[in-house]
Amino acid sequence: MAVNQNPDVTLPELVRPSDARAPDSWRLSILYHPQTDRIGRVHQWPVKRNAECILSRHSPLFGDLRGGQEGALDDPYISRSACVLQQQCDGLLLTRPPEGSSLMVGQTLVSGDEFLNADMLEQGVLLTLARRVVLLLQKASYRDRLPPEFGMVGESETLQRARESIELASGCDLPVLLLGQSGSGKELAARAIHANSHRARESLVSVNAAAIPADLASAEFFGVRRGAFTGADSDRIGYFEQADGGSLFLDEIGECPAPVQAQLLRALESGDIQLAGGLVRQVDVRMIAATDAALEEGALSTALRHRLGGIEVRMPALSARREDIGRLVAKFLRDYESLQGCCLHRAEQDPLEAVQWAVWIRELAERSWPGNVRELRNHCEQVFRASHAQGALAVPQSSSIDSSDSVAEPLAVSETRKYRPPRDVSVEEIAEALAASRYQLAAAARALNISRPSLYNRLQSMPQLHVAADLPAEEVMMVYDQCAGDLAEAARRMCVSEPALLRRWHAMELEARPQR
């Protein structure tokens, strides 16, 4: 590794050979699958003229970028010919055959061909198959080698680049400046750099630099000798001495007052510190600093940034690594489940629940997340608490996902969302949504993104579909007898929900009570 040693350069940085990567590829990442062990798997195929990917129940194969077993989506609700992706010019033509499963691009249902242009693919395109499996389609790169994970969840391109910088920083002793939005994982990166460096056996001292008043900075950073000033009745070591031989992590350094920055610069340049009322002494400390401030706005002095920026590590915003959202959510919920000794996710056994989870994950992937991973983790904790209390997936009703007092209710389409025109919903879509929701009209209407009255009106005009209230009493009794009094089996055969069939039974004023 070569280091820029020119003292006149204001932004020194570590220079590394550009790693050779194969040409760009198209990548499909699984954000949600009812079988949660498949979340995070990817499939890649080369970017070249007329290249295509047939997306179905049995193809293509999805695997972990770090190795392991590959497998298809293999979901029974996805057809054997769901859709085809074919490269045309600088985009992809998506074709859904008439017999294919339902397919959504974002929140729009696709019925034929859909061209995905370069701008859409640059941002990443969300695909939902059979309302149960959520994928993210984007352009990526093949990599001959992946950097270590460093305890960070995800395999997005932007996170891989940050890991490469962390790996380089761990192998040398230069000061490090971590850049990134609040909640993007800068402290996690600092701990990874220290833990994988030759200083790992010594202390990592973490300090919130913004919380230190300018008039106390000297004492806090460098320590105090007894009697140095009124109230100094004992010796006290500062942060630099506490970190001697190890690393000092200064978070929010961009918020430090100018006098504090000047003191830090002197310590970094010479390695000498002077205790208040004491002698000068030498310390061996590696500085790791972090800021979410815009450096071009002068948050750091030029000289201090020069000293700290031996290596700059940029932590990506969550909005720039959307393919990691599924893995992050699964990880957070597993942690909460482990603490509570319960299992929240039951979508593999419940078709309706799978649809609800898919809707939720898709909505998470569409958010901007100004608070990044920290905000997502807080949101997942609230969802877990609400869902654990209700026994079903529930999300905060309030738009403020940071509020712990939000009222929770079962997952539903936002009231502000525009419904689809009912005439655009085909009979096949309605039948599929009803089957997936166990013929519960409210849930099917949410999945179709139409209102419940609209769905009811469509059912009234479709002789092949019906509601329980319209079933003849003779048919109800006949099917009920054929099922030996099993209400669930009778509801399945008559293509209605159990609660609706039970209500129909009571409306018929029959003495015998069905078994539930």
Side-chain angles (χ1 to χ4, degrees):
M1 294 177 292
V3 181
N4 187 344
Q5 300 287 357
N6 185 350
D8 297 326
V9 179
T10 57
L11 294 178
E13 62 178 348
L14 192 71
V15 179
R16 63 174 186 262
S18 59
D19 49 350
R21 296 177 186 169
D24 287 341
S25 66
W26 302 111
R27 177 183 293 179
L28 278 168
S29 304
I30 302 177
L31 268 61
Y32 177 74
H33 193 289
Q35 299 176 36
T36 55
D37 61 334
R38 299 171 187 262
I39 293 175
R41 293 184 182 182
V42 301
H43 171 73
Q44 296 188 121
W45 71 100
V47 172
K48 61 181 182 180
R49 185 177 181 85
N50 295 327
E52 71 175 22
C53 171
I54 299 174
L55 185 57
S56 68
R57 182 189 306 177
H58 301 306
S59 68
L61 298 181
F62 291 77
D64 193 313
L65 289 176
R66 297 180 183 271
Q69 184 177 2
E70 293 186 328
L73 292 175
D74 198 27
D75 185 273
Y77 289 83
I78 298 176
S79 70
R80 292 176 175 82
S81 56
C83 69
V84 178
L85 290 159
Q86 185 177 45
Q87 183 169 332
Q88 292 189 358
C89 300
D90 58 348
L92 289 172
L93 179 65
L94 187 155
T95 301
R96 173 188 174 269
E99 70 277 7
S101 308
S102 66
L103 173 65
M104 298 180 72
V105 174
Q107 297 195 28
T108 302
L109 203 69
V110 175
S111 58
D113 292 347
E114 185 88 6
F115 183 71
L116 310 177
N117 61 42
D119 291 339
M120 297 171 65
L121 293 165
E122 181 70 24
Q123 298 296 320
V125 177
L126 287 168
L127 306 178
T128 306
L129 290 173
R131 307 187 187 278
R132 294 164 49 87
V133 175
V134 182
L135 307 171
L136 183 69
L137 172 63
Q138 58 193 157
K139 187 178 284 188
S141 299
Y142 286 110
R143 288 172 176 263
D144 295 331
R145 174 189 172 276
L146 295 177
E149 293 179 285
F150 295 118
M152 301 174 183
V153 177
E155 298 291 358
S156 60
E157 286 279 296
T158 53
L159 186 60
Q160 300 291 14
R161 288 195 289 270
R163 284 172 173 155
E164 289 172 345
S165 297
I166 292 170
E167 185 177 25
L168 288 167
S170 302
C172 67
D173 214 30
L174 288 171
V176 180
L177 182 59
L178 299 170
L179 305 173
Q181 298 177 6
S182 176
S184 59
K186 296 187 295 295
E187 184 171 359
L188 183 60
R191 295 185 180 279
I193 291 170
H194 175 77
N196 291 276
S197 72
H198 72 90
R199 298 175 179 268
R201 294 188 177 183
E202 304 297 333
S203 298
L204 170 66
V205 178
S206 298
V207 178
N208 186 336
I212 303 175
D215 56 346
L216 297 179
S218 180
E220 293 295 325
F221 280 110
F222 309 122
V224 177
R225 293 289 293 177
R226 180 180 178 182
F229 50 80
T230 302
D233 52 5
S234 63
D235 291 346
R236 178 158 55 90
I237 66 172
Y239 299 133
F240 272 85
E241 282 192 273
Q242 294 176 37
D244 195 10
S247 305
L248 177 61
F249 172 51
L250 297 182
D251 197 9
E252 298 186 41
I253 195 170
E255 301 297 323
C256 276
V260 178
Q261 294 191 26
Q263 291 174 316
L264 293 175
L265 178 60
R266 286 196 297 270
L268 278 169
E269 288 180 334
S270 64
D272 294 334
I273 64 169
Q274 182 175 15
L275 283 69
L279 300 175
V280 175
R281 61 159 299 185
Q282 187 84 21
V283 292
D284 176 23
V285 174
R286 189 205 193 161
M287 181 78 74
I288 304 173
T291 181
D292 57 8
L295 296 182
E296 61 273 11
E297 296 176 2
L300 286 179
S301 69
T302 300
L304 182 57
R305 185 181 177 186
H306 173 92
R307 292 296 303 172
L308 287 174
I311 304 177
E312 290 187 359
V313 179
R314 296 184 179 272
M315 298 303 296
L318 185 56
S319 59
R321 44 179 296 211
R322 291 196 296 162
E323 58 266 54
D324 295 336
I325 285 179
R327 279 191 172 183
L328 286 165
V329 170
K331 196 269 182 188
F332 295 147
L333 293 182
R334 278 197 304 268
D335 290 346
Y336 300 136
E337 288 174 343
S338 177
L339 289 173
Q340 296 294 326
C342 66
C343 181
L344 176 62
H345 186 273
R346 297 180 296 273
E348 194 171 350
Q349 295 79 32
D350 189 333
L352 171 60
E353 190 167 322
V355 173
Q356 293 174 324
W357 279 85
V359 170
W360 180 50
I361 297 297
R362 187 178 67 224
E363 290 181 345
L364 296 185
E366 291 172 337
R367 288 183 176 176
S368 59
W369 298 108
N372 296 290
V373 178
R374 182 187 297 120
E375 184 182 11
L376 177 63
R377 183 181 63 234
N378 292 341
H379 177 61
C380 287
E381 182 177 5
Q382 293 178 39
V383 169
F384 175 81
R385 290 176 177 175
S387 303
H388 183 51
Q390 286 196 197
L393 180 63
V395 295
Q397 187 177 26
S398 169
S399 60
S400 174
I401 63 176
D402 288 327
S403 172
S404 58
D405 297 325
S406 299
V407 177
E409 64 178 15
L411 181 67
V413 174
S414 169
E415 294 179 1
T416 62
R417 183 181 299 166
K418 293 182 179 180
Y419 286 126
R420 295 171 59 197
R423 63 180 178 275
D424 292 347
V425 184
S426 66
V427 176
E428 293 77 13
E429 290 179 66
I430 293 175
E432 182 181 296
L434 287 170
S437 65
R438 294 183 180 178
Y439 300 95
Q440 297 184 43
L441 296 189
R446 285 197 299 268
L448 293 165
N449 198 17
I450 63 176
S451 68
R452 184 172 177 174
S454 296
L455 176 58
Y456 186 85
N457 290 336
R458 288 297 304 275
L459 292 176
Q460 294 290 340
S461 63
M462 297 177 179
Q464 64 271 54
L465 299 173
H466 49 252
V467 295
D470 298 333
L471 291 172
E474 297 79 7
E475 181 181 350
V476 173
M477 289 297 301
M478 179 183 69
V479 176
Y480 182 68
D481 290 340
Q482 292 174 351
C483 297
D486 187 333
L487 180 69
E489 177 61 19
R492 188 189 67 79
R493 292 192 186 186
M494 288 185 279
C495 298
V496 296
S497 69
E498 290 183 48
L501 182 57
L502 186 61
R503 288 193 297 271
R504 175 61 176 141
W505 184 276
H506 293 322
M508 290 160 49
E509 297 183 350
L510 299 174
E511 294 182 2
R513 293 190 59 82
Q515 301 175 12
R516 301 202 67 182

